[in-house]
């Protein structure tokens, strides 16, 4: 412990030796002379002089190893590797656990600010703020009140994103595609499309991908090819052998075709309504028909242990609706007048929704072809559920 405390490797850790044998005071004094004479202040040598106050758990150093507490005085390691069993390996075990516990906490970043971006302060007008204009800094986090945390030299300031400029001339907002990564982790990113958020001091670009934000080299990014908007793929959705479902599919295809033609928020919302109505009716009919083992559509929640085909079908419905809802949420501020001219919805969004609908029809709906209850409208099925 003296070596650990004096090494500086664990600057935020304290070390405590407590003697609890019948002659605890004498043992502590002996330890102080033999081992702790040169110990720094971060190591304390103590004792418990009453057996009534001894720990009610095993804590003998040689047999049970060290006990490690966190900063809240909670036990996080009740016993490290025992010295009597592992010898020097027991000390390495403690060092590894301490290193892990003392890792810097992840920066607070509720706004998903581009951590690591090199920025330049601009357009501050207050007497104190104006002096910061032109200074270079690095984004290190964000706050709940809409500001980015920027490290400027030895200080950190909370600044509004509008008062920050990228200092690397990165093409912010550019759509790119990842390619040429060879590591095991990196190769999984190849082919993903993303958007450049900013640049870093080491020359990398910060790129927002589908499920993560990564710092990537320029040579591993190329211009993303805009997905072609081709509504004719909707015509590849075939019949499922049930007139009511086929009619609803046609209604959904009409809404999606309108979306592709107008790219309006109004058409996107109509698409959402038609899809949701169809999905709800379809789930009731599937349950009534015994599809996927007869699981009810209310049995397909995430915490259900139902592993039927019905569960996967319902989850894919939810995925598509969530996709549309996310797109609508980003376009909430579009005024009706502007939307009436069309072109408000990005082509990529319309293409993705169409692709999701077609894939669902081919991968999921095709599985129930010929297995549905006939001669009843979905509204009749709902009524039967209520009577039953």
């Amino acid at each position: 412990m003296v070596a650990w405390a004096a090494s500086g490797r664990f600057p935020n850790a304290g070390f405590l030796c407590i003697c609890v044998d019948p002659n605890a005071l004498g043992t502590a004094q002996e330890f102080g002379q033999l081992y702790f004479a040169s110990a720094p202040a971060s190591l304390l040598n103590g004792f418990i002089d009453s057996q009534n106050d001894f720990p009610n758990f095993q804590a003998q150093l040689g047999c049970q190893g060290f006990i490690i507490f966190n900063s809240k005085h909670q036990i996080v390691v009740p016993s490290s590797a025992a010295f009597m069993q592992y010898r020097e390996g027991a000390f390495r075990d403690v060092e590894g656990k301490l290193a892990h516990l003392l890792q810097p906490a992840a920066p607070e970043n509720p706004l998903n600010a581009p951590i690591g971006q090199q920025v330049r302060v601009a357009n501050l007008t207050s007497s104190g703020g104006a002096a910061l204009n032109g200074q270079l800094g690095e984004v290190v986090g964000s706050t709940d009140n809409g500001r980015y945390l920027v490290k400027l030299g030895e200080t950190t300031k909370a600044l509004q994103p509008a008062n920050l400029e990228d200092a690397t001339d990165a093409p912010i907002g550019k759509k790119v595609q990842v390619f040429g990564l060879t590591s095991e982790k990196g190769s999984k990113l190849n082919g993903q499309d993303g958007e450049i958020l900013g640049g870093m001091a080491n020359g990398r670009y910060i790129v927002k991908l589908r499920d993560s934000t990564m710092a990537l080299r320029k040579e591993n990014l190329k211009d993303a090819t805009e997905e072609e908007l081709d509504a004719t793929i909707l015509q590849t959705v075939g019949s499922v052998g049930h007139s009511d479902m086929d009619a609803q599919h046609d209604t959904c295809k009409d809404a999606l075709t309108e979306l592709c033609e107008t790219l309006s928020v109004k058409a996107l919302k109509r698409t959402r309504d038609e899809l949701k109505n169809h999905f709800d009716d379809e789930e009731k009919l599937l349950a009534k028909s015994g599809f996927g083992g007869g699981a009810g559509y209310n049995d397909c929640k995430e915490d259900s242990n139902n592993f039927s085909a019905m569960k996967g079908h319902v989850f894919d419905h939810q995925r598509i609706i969530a996709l549309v809802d996310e797109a609508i949420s980003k376009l909430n501020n579009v005024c009706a007048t502007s939307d009436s001219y069309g072109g408000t919805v990005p082509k990529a969004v319309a293409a993705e929704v169409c692709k999701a609908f077609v894939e669902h029809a081919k991968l999921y709906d095709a599985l129930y072809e010929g297995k549905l209850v006939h001669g009843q409208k979905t509204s009749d099925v709902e009524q039967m559920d209520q009577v039953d």
Side-chain angles (χ1 to χ4, degrees):
M1 284 197 294
V2 174
W4 287 334
S7 69
R9 292 176 57 194
F10 312 107
N12 295 319
F15 300 89
L16 179 64
C17 177
I18 299 292
C19 297
V20 293
D21 61 49
N23 183 25
L25 173 59
T27 302
Q29 290 173 332
E30 182 180 2
F31 276 19
Q33 294 171 355
L34 293 176
Y35 308 119
F36 302 142
S38 61
S42 59
L43 191 158
L44 298 178
N45 176 34
F47 67 96
I48 298 176
D49 59 1
S50 172
Q51 192 165 355
N52 293 331
D53 296 327
F54 282 6
N56 58 5
F57 51 88
Q58 293 296 316
Q60 186 176 348
L61 183 59
C63 299
Q64 280 80 38
F66 287 83
I67 300 170
I68 302 178
F69 296 77
N70 63 16
S71 60
K72 298 179 180 178
H73 305 149
Q74 299 167 327
I75 294 178
V76 291
V77 178
S79 60
S80 64
F83 176 77
M84 293 179 65
Q85 183 177 358
Y86 295 98
R87 292 301 193 251
E88 286 298 315
F91 298 129
R92 305 293 85 78
D93 178 62
V94 174
E95 291 168 355
K97 287 179 167 60
L98 284 176
H100 176 73
L101 288 169
L102 293 171
Q103 285 179 346
E108 292 291 330
N109 191 19
L111 302 181
N112 291 320
I115 302 296
Q117 182 185 12
Q118 292 295 296
V119 292
R120 182 183 297 105
V121 182
N123 302 320
L124 292 174
T125 57
S126 68
S127 56
L132 301 177
N133 288 333
Q135 288 194 29
L136 299 180
E138 178 181 338
V139 176
V140 294
S142 61
T143 65
D144 288 323
N145 65 355
R147 293 173 178 261
Y148 285 1
L149 297 175
V150 181
K151 186 175 181 181
L152 300 170
E154 299 298 321
T155 64
T156 299
K157 299 290 186 180
L159 302 171
Q160 295 182 17
N163 294 118
L164 300 173
E165 301 173 344
D166 186 84
T168 67
D169 294 325
I172 295 176
K174 183 178 181 180
K175 306 297 183 182
V176 293
Q177 187 176 88
V178 183
F179 78 103
L181 295 175
T182 57
S183 69
E184 181 179 356
K185 179 180 178 181
S187 61
K188 296 177 181 178
L189 303 177
N190 289 333
Q192 286 196 30
D193 290 340
E195 178 182 345
I196 294 177
L197 301 181
M200 304 178 69
N202 60 8
R204 292 180 177 238
Y205 285 162
I206 303 171
V207 182
K208 180 176 177 56
L209 301 173
R210 181 176 61 246
D211 300 316
S212 61
T213 299
M214 307 293 293
L216 301 171
R217 293 187 179 92
K218 300 176 184 178
E219 53 265 33
N220 293 118
L221 299 171
K222 62 182 179 180
D223 291 349
T225 303
E226 186 174 7
E227 191 164 1
E228 290 295 327
L229 185 54
D230 182 10
T232 61
I233 66 168
L234 297 171
Q235 305 311 315
T236 64
V237 176
S239 171
V240 294
H242 189 282
S243 58
D244 200 15
M245 290 296 97
D246 285 344
Q248 290 193 10
H249 280 168
D250 287 342
T251 302
C252 291
K253 288 190 286 185
D254 287 344
L256 287 163
T257 300
E258 180 189 354
L259 173 62
C260 293
E261 292 174 348
T262 66
L263 294 175
S264 68
V265 176
K266 181 181 179 181
L268 182 62
K269 290 181 177 178
R270 181 204 165 193
T271 296
R272 199 265 187 203
D273 291 341
E274 298 293 359
L275 290 174
K276 186 65 169 65
N277 291 337
H278 165 59
F279 291 161
D280 289 347
D281 285 348
E282 185 179 62
E283 289 167 19
K284 293 168 186 173
L285 184 58
L286 290 175
K288 179 58 65 175
S289 301
F291 177 75
Y297 54 91
N298 288 325
D299 297 329
C300 296
K301 297 178 180 177
E302 189 171 352
D303 57 354
S304 168
N305 61 357
N306 168 28
F307 297 103
S308 71
M310 178 70 165
K311 183 173 182 178
H313 200 117
V314 172
F315 275 7
D316 204 54
H317 284 171
Q318 296 169 348
R319 176 186 71 86
I320 296 172
I321 294 299
L323 175 68
V324 181
D325 283 344
E326 181 182 9
I328 291 174
S329 69
K330 294 179 179 179
L331 298 167
N332 271 340
N333 294 328
V334 175
C335 70
T337 302
S338 174
D339 190 54
S340 65
Y341 292 102
T344 309
V345 177
K347 287 184 179 180
V349 170
E352 188 173 10
V353 177
C354 287
K355 181 180 178 182
F357 175 77
V358 172
E359 286 182 348
H360 176 84
K362 293 181 177 180
L363 296 177
Y364 291 91
D365 291 352
L367 297 177
Y368 67 67
E369 182 178 356
K371 300 177 183 178
L372 300 182
V373 173
H374 283 270
Q376 295 169 323
K377 294 182 178 179
T378 50
S379 57
D380 296 332
V381 172
E382 183 176 5
Q383 186 63 33
M384 290 174 63
D385 289 341
Q386 293 173 357
V387 171
D388 192 28

